[in-house]
Amino acid sequence: MIAGCFNFSQPNTPSSSSYCSQTQSQVPQNVVTCTYQTQLCNSPTYLTLSWSKTLFSHSLTISATDIFSITISLNSSTFFFRTRHGSKTIHHRKLKLHWNFTRAEFIQNSAEPESRFYLAISHKGKLQFFLGDLFHVFSPHHHQQDCPETVLLSRREHVFGSRSYVSRAVFMGTKHVIEIECSGGILGVKVDGEMRLVVKRLAWKFRGYEKIFIDGVEVEFYWDVLSWVANSENGNGHGVFVFQVGDGTVWPEMVGAEKKLMKKSVSGSSVLQWAEESSECGRTSSSSSTRSCGSNATGFSLLLYAWRA
């Protein structure tokens, strides 16, 4: 049995007068990375949005492979971004980025806004990508009639807690609250407050796969807590959990704060590799075609890294 799945000490706990100079690197980084399938410059593209928040900073990095990568500060404590709205032109591509986070609402200190915001990308004046619930605010000023469809392919999030880790996901168009509980060597998965799966004896079942149903939709669930089991005494490592709906998995390359965060565990790369390979188990070779930007997305993947806060 695992001696308390989460009974490990908090990494980098300040214990000296050097607290002020080290605190920024010690506080948990809430990082959410989402990958969308869209059209940019008349070509199908993977667009990656990485939201990052700590006690001292809040930012959004928007990147499209071989096209651009831009970071926007969302820290309302600074004078320049007090209104948290604006635009930026990417001259060599004739792209323009528009955003408004003035009244954005966030849930439980999440780095990603829940409502009252918009993020848009236009090419030669034509709207290519739109995210948020304020299209009625954006469209009159930019002469846009239609809001393009936004297809979310994958979401990767770093969650923090002691015994409970909570995230939100959209499966087949419906929002759900996902909660993972771990205590005394027992793993539990709740969806909207209802227990859907219980795994006992994690010391022997540290890696596995099960199917669960959410509103009649089959969801493949993978877990890997080998890092917890192997480091139960010194408290290093993290758990990883994958929820897969339909075909196709897209894990974009880690950037910025997320990449730094993963360096805390030497097993980070192997865990991610396992998640990628396991999500294709039992599927036909043709299902992997959704990795191509030119194909139509037919699935969604949620990847959670669980850290002790």
Side-chain angles (χ1 to χ4, degrees), residues 13-24 26-27 55-56:
T13 301
S15 58
S16 67
S17 59
S18 60
Y19 173 79
C20 292
S21 61
Q22 298 178 357
T23 302
Q24 186 166 357
Q26 294 166 349
V27 295
L55 183 64
F56 301 96

Side-chain angles (χ1 to χ4, degrees), residues 153 244-250 283 287-288 290-291 298-301:
L153 299 181
Q244 173 74 45
V245 178
D247 293 333
T249 305
V250 178
R283 296 196 178 97
S287 67
S288 62
T290 53
R291 290 176 178 270
T298 59
F300 167 75
S301 299

Side-chain angles (χ1 to χ4, degrees), residues 2 14 18 37 43 47 62 122 125 135-136 161 184 211 231 240 263:
I2 301 177
S18 60
Q37 182 173 282
S43 298
L47 186 68
I62 309 139
S122 59
F135 186 73
H136 64 285
K211 289 183 179 180
N231 299 283
V240 64
K263 287 182 178 180

